[in-house]
Amino acid sequence: MSKIAIIVPGIGYTTDRSLLYFAGKVAQNAGYEILKIRFSGFEKGVKGDPEKMKRAFDHAYNQLMEQLPTPDKKDEVLFISKSIGTAVSLKADIEKEIRAKHILFTPLMETMELLHKLLEKQGTKRRSDILVFHGLADPWATDNVRIRDIAEQATVKYYEVSNANHSLETGDPIVDLGNQKEIMRSCEQFIRK
């Protein structure tokens, strides 16, 4: 049995940016082999355009499928994903029955709907395999009440970051570093359990 952590970026948020970079390091320290997914070729102006978002989702999903290894059923798989990456990793888990653990950074509303489908298909026991971080000032996911409600109904581990944008940043670097420390501490506890 091997342990693999699959780092799935967002449209402009690469695997080398802080949330994914440090969460990947935490996973690596816990004995996971790291696989970084690379996305490219997205249209401009996706935010707020439902048609472009649908095309971006399909494009990201196809690229994930091209790079995703076929894990052995005994393998321990962890997806660490961001933004659109959260949605496509949940879809991959649903369709491929991977039964992975998921760290979802700044999920989209589509992600939360897929989270509901995952638990419906794979069982509510899977809820302990999900960790969600949402920024309360995220312009890509503005319905804070609905996101919170879905997370609470699913009874997954869910954290909100006050005044944080789609990168879980507030604009104050000292606050952001403190938040990152707490986020990574939560990730470490989740990964090691």
Side-chain angles (χ1 to χ4, degrees), residues 11-77:
I11 290 175
Y13 197 98
T14 66
T15 59
D16 297 325
R17 300 238 350 237
S18 60
L19 291 170
L20 297 178
Y21 175 82
F22 286 116
K25 289 291 187 189
V26 169
Q28 191 171 32
N29 288 347
Y32 283 83
E33 176 187 337
I34 304 299
L35 170 64
K36 294 180 180 182
I37 301 298
R38 304 281 181 206
F39 289 152
S40 64
F42 289 104
E43 293 180 75
K44 301 251 187 263
V46 172
K47 186 173 112 187
D49 186 324
E51 287 302 313
K52 285 184 178 181
M53 180 57 85
K54 170 80 173 92
R55 288 194 298 270
F57 178 85
D58 292 342
H59 183 69
Y61 184 73
N62 291 336
Q63 288 189 51
L64 174 61
M65 290 293 92
E66 289 169 4
Q67 298 172 63
L68 189 66
T70 304
D72 186 291
K73 290 294 181 192
K74 291 179 263 170
D75 288 346
E76 189 175 317
V77 179

Side-chain angles (χ1 to χ4, degrees), residues 9-13 17-20 47 53 81-86 104-111 133-142 147 161 163-171 180:
I11 290 175
Y13 197 98
R17 300 238 350 237
S18 60
L19 291 170
L20 297 178
K47 186 173 112 187
M53 180 57 85
S81 56
K82 170 82 175 71
S83 188
I84 201 167
T86 63
L104 306 172
F105 289 119
T106 65
L108 306 173
M109 189 53 70
E110 294 85 351
T111 306
F133 294 94
H134 172 64
L136 292 177
D138 186 341
W140 284 76
T142 58
I147 289 171
V161 182
N163 302 315
N165 64 17
H166 199 54
S167 297
L168 294 181
E169 295 176 2
T170 65
Q180 281 245 339

